[in-house]
Amino acid sequence: MNENRSKHGLKIVGNWKSHKKLADLEPWLESFQKTIISPVEKVEVVLALPLQLVYPFWSVLDNFPIAKASLKLGVQDVSPFPFGSYTGAVAAESLVDAGISTVLVGHSERRRYFHETHQDVAGKVTQVVEAGMTPVVCVDEEYVQAQANAIDQDLLEKCVVAYEPLEAIGTGDNQPVSEALLVVDQIKDVFGDVPVIYGGSVDMSCIHEYVPTLDGVLPGGASLDPVEFGSLVTAVEVM
Ligand code: PGA
């Protein structure tokens, strides 16, 4: 184990994907708050929400002070363009207004179902960094280099990179950490010494494989369940 790996501080980025609606927020927060018991201090916990839930989430969060002290909000996509005539696109600057700190870019589902290219992802990184937020760039092994090449070289060090092996996403079949570490080294070779987190079927049964060896995790399915997500947060907080 390389002692340097967690020097950036540990992160958990929950990805709700295209799940949940207004009525789900209060029960989720109530149960999450009960699970973590006290405010999380050592781990950066981000919940990447569906866009339409961001403003209501903030209002509901006011009723849950322990959760509020523990959570940052993120979203799962952003426009590769600034404000302008780009119908349907959400500009990074407007996300800052909405209290967003972190934006997932280039998730494999965006690449697969919405045909996002490395260049699209690079444009999103630029917008997110210029707006003062953190981009979490999601990559699989085969395009680590190509994705890094497309991003403005000065911006690489501003990225958090999420290594998400395709075959591990949503399958319940997480990649063994020994294999993941080989790709993490490759990511650090091309992006520099940036925080690298792992995503792909992370839950309580495997969290200890990845943290604190890596800089954190990106749970999708496990973030939908507030008790599971709260348990992951607590497990990392006490590491
Ligand atoms: P999963 O999703 O934890 O459900 O595998 C991770 C992701 O796609 O970000």
Side-chain angles (χ1 to χ4, degrees):
M1 189 187 300
N2 180 341
E3 291 299 327
N4 284 338
R5 286 195 193 282
S6 56
K7 73 176 185 205
H8 297 285
L10 299 174
K11 297 174 207 319
I12 299 185
V13 183
N15 177 9
W16 274 11
K17 306 192 179 185
S18 195
H19 292 287
K20 299 206 186 282
K21 51 193 169 62
L22 206 51
D24 299 323
L25 301 185
E26 187 156 354
W28 191 94
L29 276 166
E30 188 169 1
S31 187
F32 174 73
Q33 176 162 293
K34 264 193 202 141
T35 307
I36 60 173
I37 302 170
S38 55
V40 176
E41 285 166 357
K42 289 187 263 167
V43 190
E44 181 183 0
V45 187
V46 179
L47 204 50
L49 296 173
L51 201 53
Q52 78 285 3
L53 295 180
V54 170
Y55 280 103
F57 197 96
W58 283 127
S59 337
V60 178
L61 200 50
D62 280 335
N63 303 326
F64 298 96
I66 294 171
K68 187 169 183 176
S70 307
L71 284 174
K72 293 183 178 178
L73 295 191
V75 292
Q76 305 159 17
D77 189 29
V78 66
S79 174
F81 302 111
F83 281 126
S85 300
Y86 305 103
T87 301
V90 176
E93 234 183 295
S94 68
L95 293 173
V96 176
D97 265 3
I100 295 301
S101 69
T102 303
V103 182
L104 302 184
V105 293
H107 191 281
S108 61
E109 287 152 14
R110 299 290 318 166
R111 298 176 191 262
R112 178 173 175 198
Y113 298 113
F114 302 91
H115 311 293
E116 273 182 19
T117 64
H118 302 320
Q119 207 51 55
D120 294 330
V121 174
K124 294 175 186 212
V125 168
T126 302
Q127 292 304 314
V128 171
V129 173
E130 281 181 358
M133 298 176 293
T134 302
V136 176
V137 183
C138 304
V139 292
D140 194 1
E141 181 177 7
E142 69 187 63
Y143 50 79
V144 169
Q145 182 77 56
Q147 184 56 77
N149 289 348
I151 295 170
D152 181 338
Q153 295 303 292
D154 295 343
L155 301 185
L156 289 177
E157 64 177 21
K158 312 267 190 199
C159 296
V160 171
V161 178
Y163 167 49
E164 298 213 301
L166 267 188
E167 67 281 3
I169 295 178
T171 56
D173 202 6
N174 62 295
Q175 185 174 79
V177 70
S178 54
E179 286 171 39
L181 282 175
L182 299 175
V183 184
V184 170
D185 286 342
Q186 197 188 324
I187 290 169
K188 291 198 184 249
D189 280 346
V190 295
F191 276 81
D193 190 15
V194 297
V196 181
I197 64 178
Y198 167 86
S201 297
V202 171
D203 60 19
M204 280 303 283
S205 71
C206 65
I207 179 80
H208 290 89
E209 290 185 38
Y210 304 102
V211 202
T213 306
L214 304 193
D215 299 306
V217 287
L218 202 170
S223 71
L224 297 175
D225 175 346
V227 174
E228 182 78 8
F229 191 64
S231 304
L232 288 173
V233 167
T234 304
V236 178
E237 174 80 353
V238 299
M239 276 174 188

